[in-house]
Amino acid sequence: MRPPSLLKQEFLKKWIMGLQRCSSTKKNMNILERKKAIKLSADVAMASSRNGTTCWSRALIANASKDGNDKHLVEQILGPESERLIVKKVSIGALVCNKRIRSKKILKRSCGIRRTRKCVPQVALASSIAKWLVRKRTQVLKSLIPGGEFMNEVCLIKETLDYIISLRAQVDVMRSLASASEQVNHS
Amino acid sequence: MENQFFLNAGIPTPAPPLHFGPCLSSPKSAWQSLSSAMEIHATELNCSPDQSQDCFLNPNWEKSPDYGLQFNSALSSMVSSPAASNSNISNESFMIRELIGKLGSIGNSGEISPHSLPLLASYINGNNSTNTSCYSTPLNSPPKLNLPMMDSLVQQKLPSLGKSMGLNSSVAEFSADPGFAERAAKFSCFGSRSFNGRTSEFGLNNNNEISAYRCNPLTANAKLPRVSSSPSLKAMGSKVGAVQGSNKSSPLQDRSELANPQEESTVSEQNPNGDPGFKASKDSNSRKRKAIPKAKTKETSASPSANAAKVSEANGESNEKRTESTESNGNENGFVKAEEDAKLGINGNAGDEKQNKTKPPEPHKDYIHVRARRGQATDSHSLAERVRREKISERMKFLQDLVPGCNKVTGKALMLDEIINYVQSLQRQVEVLSMKLASVNTRLDFNVDNLMSKDIFQSNNTLPHPIFPIDSSASAFFGHQPRQNPALHCNISNGTMTQCSVDPLDALICPNLNTHLPPINQFTETAPQYQTLYEGDLQTIVQMGFGQNPSQEMALQSENFLGSNQVSHMKLSSNNHSLVLD
């Protein structure tokens, strides 16, 4: 893994670039628009630092570029790689994932039908409760991680790891930038 | 109580209680409290082995000086009394035997029973280590390794006892006493059934200390609640660990560590010949809970060495304990299995004849060869499942390091909980920070980024990774609502997402609010013309939260920045004012 300072520098560069492009397009933004632009550019910068290696970054970029307004911004931030990142991998990934989801649903339905015929004892075993708990939480985690619905458990945890690291770097950079600008404003 | 005790056992009280009457009156109360404490502990078997062991042992140690003194005086009085003629020796030896047997019987769950003799020595010594080293010898193994040590200790400290009254001889008499086993067994009304099993074997196997432990599972069969025997075996494990080395005893007692590589190493060191059955017992432990005693008995009867037996039981029990604890936490079996198996697989001891899961060293293979372990299903689905589970558990370990506060949590569900909370908090922080940045900078210009980048990465190291400073800054945004004008609340109605996300932080914010309000009030009154309310508030909060010193480098660019700010100053103030008042 790259050292975190390198990651942060890269993130900051891309982020500020995106922000500048944002401000050049729109002159007067209210606070919410600004916030959105800041967050979007931060997220995209974060995701692009991964260079499409991780699933969540691809999904994040895909989600960002779905909206027409933001697509330009995304493309600007990503630069020349934008086509590579957005068009090819994401679409294919989405297709594959949709297929997987559909097949899983079919399988679950068939298994469920089979199970209802068996007389499963209704005793709530600790293990089954535990499994249910884990499944619930996995679902929540999938909703949190961008593009998480398409992953199986193994990948999900790996992606979570990566996502946590990048989120942490993002938060650190943003916080320090905010505090630095505060100091600048104050003094 | 004493008389009751003896009556229950069907043994006549010692004939001349004169020596012991005054001496034993105080220990009587001590024993009573001990037994009550022990019964309490016998019922509450959910306490951790460490705890239970401490509970068991600590009362002993509290009373030990009394015991030591009393028994020392008793014994010396016996020895030195002129009435200690040959005719009386049998009586005295009988009394000593009774005493020691009683001491042993009161031993809760059998821990103290072997303690009794070494306890006498150790009471005198006040040395815990001898206790543990002497522990491994039951009462009836006369000239074994630890007894000579004890003998020397005893002879050092109790010269008055003389060789005839050496404990060695009394121990020899123990072994010869056929009725002792019954009596000791009857004393087990205090102890758990494991002790019962153990003591019943004392008479049978005189010279084999192993069997005393080995037969424990044989007699303490399925009806014995496993947890009750576990504290004793944990103690055993701890003693074994102490014997082997201090660094190994801790893993045996460490419940939070699901599988112990050090435990593995103890096993490997003690079983250089390899003990396939023993390992299999561990695996079968993880699979079938009911079969654990049987598996243990199989393995322990097969194992030749004492160490193997002890460690197997300790390990088996610790495995049980682990599986029990983790299952009581609501974990799935698979996870525990996976963790155990993962750990067992990772260690892969050299002398192990166990069939480990082997990742092939040759990278050119496309698939992973997995071997089924003994006692587990061999079909491809379960193998693949096991591989998958191990992968997951490996990754969870990484996550444990990454997510703060995850180290103490065991179990998949709880860890996933922590991870979810952490990710959510990080995402919320991003939201808050972006809002903050948006409010600070109206034109999204970060012209000073060149200089700031240096500062940022310097300050990145100094900044902690906290949640509370963010909460304090969030309070500046959203904490003033109840106090200020609610009419402007609708201005940030679109930002309800961020508001709602911060609401869970309100609980954290509340303690911060009180500290923040006074300086903010001050500032509102004395707000300089140049600075807005909002900036002042933020500045104080930022300084409080971050504790940063303003850098000198920023002074150069600050004028530039402020110059650009003047143009948008009015807008900034109006915007921020609405923000603050909401």
Side-chain angles (χ1 to χ4, degrees), chain A residues 181 183-187, chain B residues 441 443 445-452 530 552-569:
Chain A
S181 39
Q183 289 175 16
V184 166
N185 282 346
H186 182 61
S187 57
Chain B
N441 205 323
R443 291 188 309 149
D445 52 354
F446 294 93
N447 294 326
V448 292
D449 58 331
N450 290 330
L451 277 176
M452 282 163 84
Y530 205 63
Q552 298 302 318
E553 289 176 326
M554 302 311 301
L556 284 174
Q557 291 294 320
S558 62
E559 288 159 297
N560 206 3
F561 201 86
L562 287 172
S564 63
N565 253 357
Q566 268 177 1
V567 176
S568 55
H569 185 66

Side-chain angles (χ1 to χ4, degrees), chain A residues 9 29 32 34-35 39 130-131 137 144 153-154 157 163 168 171 175-176 182-187, chain B residues 330-331 392 395 402 413 417 422 427 429 431 438 440 442 444 456-457 466 531 548 554 561-562 565:
Chain A
Q9 275 173 12
M29 294 193 278
L32 288 174
R34 283 205 303 274
K35 177 226 166 202
K39 185 162 187 296
K131 279 184 190 157
R137 281 161 176 79
L144 279 180
E153 253 191 44
V154 181
I157 295 183
Y163 188 57
R168 237 198 230 171
V171 163
R175 190 185 297 152
S176 43
E182 279 316 302
Q183 289 175 16
V184 166
N185 282 346
H186 182 61
S187 57
Chain B
N331 261 339
I392 288 179
R395 302 230 170 98
L402 205 59
D417 242 353
Y422 191 55
Q427 283 175 341
Q429 280 181 33
E431 296 270 339
V440 160
T442 50
L444 291 182
I456 282 166
F457 297 121
Q531 299 214 343
Q548 271 183 339
M554 302 311 301
F561 201 86
L562 287 172
N565 253 357

Side-chain angles (χ1 to χ4, degrees), chain A residues 32 35-36 39, chain B residues 427-436 474 477-478 481 492-506 509 579:
Chain A
L32 288 174
K35 177 226 166 202
K36 255 183 166 182
K39 185 162 187 296
Chain B
Q427 283 175 341
R428 262 182 260 142
Q429 280 181 33
V430 167
E431 296 270 339
V432 165
L433 278 169
S434 59
M435 192 61 160
K436 187 171 160 183
F477 283 95
F478 303 105
Q481 289 167 19
I492 311 189
S493 57
N494 285 343
T496 49
M497 181 178 63
T498 50
Q499 272 188 343
C500 293
S501 67
V502 176
D503 283 340
L505 296 172
D506 278 349
I509 287 168
L579 176 67

